[in-house]
Amino acid sequence: MLRRLAIRDFAVVTASELEFGPGMTVISGETGAGKSLLVDALGFLSGLRADAGMVRHGASRAELHAEFDTADAPAALAWLREQEFDEGQACTLRRTLRADGGSRAWINGRPATLSQLSQLAGLLVEIHGQHEHQALLEKSSQLALLDAFGGHDRELAAVRGAAARWSALERERDTLSRTGDVAERIAWLDHQIGELDREDLRPEAIEALVAGHRRLAHAAGLMAACDGALSALSGDDGPSLLDGLERLRGGLARERAHEPRLDEVDALLDSAAIQLGEAALALQRIRDDLDLDPARFEELDATLGRLHDLARKHRVAPGELEARRDAFEAERESLLDAGARLQGLDAEIAAAAEAWRSAADALGRARAAAAERLSAATTALIAELGMGGGRFEVALEPLARDRPDPQGGERAEFLVSANAGQPPRPLRRVASGGELSRISLAIEVAALGSDAVPTMVFDEVDSGIGGAVAEIVGQKLRALGASRQVLCVTHLPQVAAQGHAHYRVSKADRDGLTHSSVELLGPKQRQEELARMLGGVEVSREARAAARRLLAGHVA
């Protein structure tokens, strides 16, 4: 739901900020005051191409900012998360239009493309009026609305699942078909696997090989180091460390009676003597294991060289050779069954296509029934909205069924005949903006609760009507406001009186320039505005009385 709309230096608006709530909000004002500028602002925030002419004269850029609550727009929230624009349930759209024709856009404070802005706005707001960006004019939106109206979630899921299964099997067959000469590939894999199997490729074996090679490469130095350390500990070439330590303890022992703290020192020296003895034993074991073995060193060196050659050949580290061999074996196994798998795939693909046709037929029957119901309901509403003799039809156009389509076997086209005796034409070709708005309203009311977009904007939906029909239009908009947020630009008091909130757009000349301002009306101001809409420039007592009567039955 739209919470706030802020506009700066946009057309004749210097600066305006509007707060919106649930239900129906109406916007009125004198001709030329700029009522539809608020709709235009939402249009540019929905990704319309930048128009330098919309920048207020004398300003360098126009700024547009809208805040939405996505609690009632799960599809928009999911899109924000997928695109990594999410910031909780809040959603802000911002766009600047420069006087030189350029523009920039942001979503939740992060730079965004116009395509991203358009995708997100399409999930948040739907504009009905005399503009090309209406979602209902697009065939994809028409089909989605029909499916939502008919409650076809289960049938659609079956069609999409069958189409996805068919596509996956087609890709698998294409992959196997592109493999080429399977026998030649298997022979090559056999050679690679045999070459790798001649070596012990376990990571722990390679680590042990490297350690053994390093030890033999440094055997002479290790032996000399061990011999020197053992000589120092045992005293072969002079006094040993152990003997020196015992003499040191003996010299201190004679004085321990005079200094009790020497007991602690003696204990530490005793522990050191034990550790020196253990170190001598460990050194002796290491020395006994050491041997200068040139033949063994050459063997290890050759093995290590072969491993490095294999690693370079397969462009992996030596420790990853085992995984590469396993991958070769897995590919070999799959290729051994490739012929049989290709034959099996043909049967599976045919079965998947038949499953899709069955699911698509069920969806098509459900769509036909829903199209009939929606056509009848919308046609009845069109008559109520002052288009007597008009007719609405949902035409289902079958598609070629050579490839399973995840959207089913047909597309929907909304057709309209605005007057009796005229053949129905596609909704997008309806010439009159007022007729288009009323037809869109009729469709939305007929499909009440089916459209997932939470905010609907109707621009001059009441163009060319009046009297009782205007009252009905207002009733339909208010009814729609019970389940959706509705914003309506209107010039009819019968429609404006039924809004839950009312904004007035007014204009004034300052310094030779026209400036528009927007004001939220209280009860008294609202009555005066309705009286102006009823009576014109001179507001009479009768007009005020009529305004009070209009408001009496509709003020929330």
Side-chain angles (χ1 to χ4, degrees):
M1 181 172 68
L2 178 64
R3 290 292 190 187
R4 188 173 73 92
L5 177 64
I7 301 171
R8 180 179 295 276
D9 294 330
F10 183 67
V12 293
V13 178
T14 304
S16 286
E17 186 170 320
L18 294 81
E19 302 283 344
F20 296 97
M24 174 183 170
T25 298
V26 296
I27 301 166
S28 66
E30 297 177 7
T31 302
K35 302 187 294 294
S36 294
L37 287 178
L38 304 178
V39 180
D40 293 336
L42 287 173
F44 283 110
L45 284 169
S46 298
L48 283 183
R49 182 175 297 178
D51 182 357
M54 299 304 294
V55 180
R56 187 176 63 83
H57 179 70
S60 61
R61 68 176 182 272
E63 294 194 16
L64 310 171
H65 186 278
E67 293 181 7
F68 291 86
D69 184 344
T70 58
D72 56 356
L77 187 58
W79 186 94
L80 286 166
R81 289 171 179 159
E82 180 184 339
Q83 300 291 323
E84 299 182 350
F85 282 113
D86 54 310
E87 291 287 346
Q89 287 193 337
C91 173
T92 61
L93 307 183
R94 178 173 173 248
R95 189 174 180 191
T96 60
L97 308 175
R98 295 197 305 272
D100 63 5
S103 75
R104 294 181 65 190
W106 295 263
I107 296 174
N108 280 339
R110 303 186 184 99
T113 66
L114 285 187
S115 175
Q116 290 172 321
L117 198 67
S118 178
Q119 291 172 29
L120 176 57
L123 301 173
L124 292 168
V125 61
E126 190 171 278
I127 300 175
H128 301 273
Q130 303 175 37
H131 304 285
E132 296 177 357
H133 54 273
Q134 290 185 64
L136 270 183
L137 300 184
E138 300 172 3
K139 283 190 174 183
S140 59
S141 296
Q142 294 173 1
L143 184 65
L145 190 144
L146 177 65
D147 285 332
F149 173 77
H152 302 150
D153 292 346
R154 185 180 61 184
E155 292 88 347
L156 262 176
V159 167
R160 288 169 178 163
R165 170 69 174 160
W166 181 88
S167 296
L169 292 170
E170 276 281 303
R171 287 194 298 272
E172 184 180 355
R173 183 170 65 181
D174 289 345
T175 299
L176 288 176
S177 298
R178 287 195 301 267
T179 303
D181 189 340
V182 173
E184 182 179 336
R185 180 67 177 175
I186 290 176
W188 182 86
L189 288 170
D190 284 339
H191 174 75
Q192 306 304 319
I193 293 168
E195 191 176 51
L196 290 166
D197 276 342
R198 286 193 286 271
E199 308 295 340
D200 189 344
L201 302 178
R202 293 173 301 144
E204 59 270 22
I206 294 176
E207 290 177 9
L209 173 66
V210 171
H213 181 271
R214 184 184 301 114
R215 186 169 55 251
L216 283 174
H218 298 86
L222 286 169
M223 292 168 65
C226 289
D227 288 341
L230 284 170
S231 177
L233 287 170
S234 62
D236 289 345
D237 297 328
S240 71
L241 289 175
L242 287 169
D243 290 342
L245 192 58
E246 287 302 321
R247 288 194 297 273
L248 177 61
R249 290 183 65 198
L252 292 174
R254 290 191 292 271
E255 306 299 328
R256 284 167 59 190
H258 309 300
E259 177 51 72
R261 286 178 293 180
L262 288 176
D263 289 341
E264 182 180 354
V265 174
D266 184 68
L268 291 171
L269 292 173
D270 182 49
S271 176
I274 293 171
Q275 292 185 27
L276 283 174
E278 292 177 351
L281 291 173
L283 275 172
Q284 189 60 56
R285 285 194 296 272
I286 293 171
R287 176 63 183 83
D288 292 342
D289 290 340
L290 291 172
D291 192 11
L292 291 175
D293 188 348
R296 176 59 178 162
F297 176 74
E298 288 181 6
E299 179 186 346
L300 293 180
D301 192 60
T303 302
L304 196 58
R306 290 194 302 272
L307 288 173
H308 280 293
D309 288 342
L310 288 171
R312 282 192 296 272
K313 175 180 178 179
H314 296 289
R315 299 181 179 180
V316 296
E320 298 172 352
L321 286 169
E322 185 180 34
R324 179 53 58 91
R325 182 201 59 200
D326 293 344
F328 285 151
E329 289 180 342
E331 183 183 353
R332 182 180 182 278
E333 289 298 319
S334 68
L335 289 176
L336 287 173
D337 298 331
R341 179 58 181 156
L342 275 171
Q343 293 179 356
L345 276 172
D346 289 337
E348 288 186 41
I349 289 171
E354 181 57 35
W356 177 85
R357 281 190 289 271
S358 177
D361 288 343
L363 177 59
R365 290 191 294 270
R367 281 173 170 168
E372 187 174 342
R373 296 196 308 273
L374 183 59
S375 297
T378 305
T379 296
L381 286 166
I382 286 174
E384 288 187 58
L385 296 177
M387 298 173 64
R391 189 170 79 256
F392 175 84
E393 295 179 8
V394 179
L396 295 177
E397 305 167 353
L399 302 176
R401 295 194 166 200
D402 52 338
R403 294 180 62 85
D405 189 303
Q407 295 298 317
E410 57 278 316
R411 292 293 182 266
E413 175 83 74
F414 288 179
L415 305 177
V416 174
S417 172
N419 300 291
Q422 292 182 348
R425 295 185 301 157
L427 180 63
R428 62 181 182 274
R429 295 180 184 170
V430 173
S432 166
E435 289 179 348
L436 182 57
S437 295
R438 274 179 279 161
I439 293 167
S440 298
L441 173 61
I443 295 170
E444 293 294 354
V445 173
L448 193 61
S450 300
D451 200 317
V453 178
T455 298
M456 295 182 179
V457 182
F458 292 89
D459 184 16
E460 301 288 355
V461 68
D462 45 21
S463 176
I465 63 173
V469 175
E471 177 74 16
I472 294 171
V473 169
Q475 291 172 2
K476 301 305 181 186
L477 286 167
R478 189 176 177 93
L480 189 59
S483 62
R484 294 290 184 271
Q485 183 187 43
V486 174
L487 310 181
C488 176
V489 176
T490 183
H491 66 279
L492 291 180
Q494 294 92 333
V495 174
Q498 301 193 57
H500 298 93
H502 191 156
Y503 277 99
R504 178 178 61 204
V505 181
S506 57
K507 64 179 179 178
D509 292 335
R510 293 198 305 270
D511 302 325
L513 295 175
T514 299
H515 296 265
S516 288
S517 60
V518 186
E519 178 185 12
L520 178 63
L521 302 181
K524 286 292 185 183
Q525 295 167 309
R526 192 172 180 187
Q527 179 181 305
E528 283 297 306
E529 174 64 6
L530 290 179
R532 181 199 65 77
M533 297 170 75
L534 283 163
V537 178
E538 297 295 332
V539 179
S540 64
R541 181 183 305 173
E542 291 78 9
R544 289 190 174 92
R548 284 194 297 272
R549 286 194 298 272
L550 281 175
L551 283 172
H554 302 302
V555 175

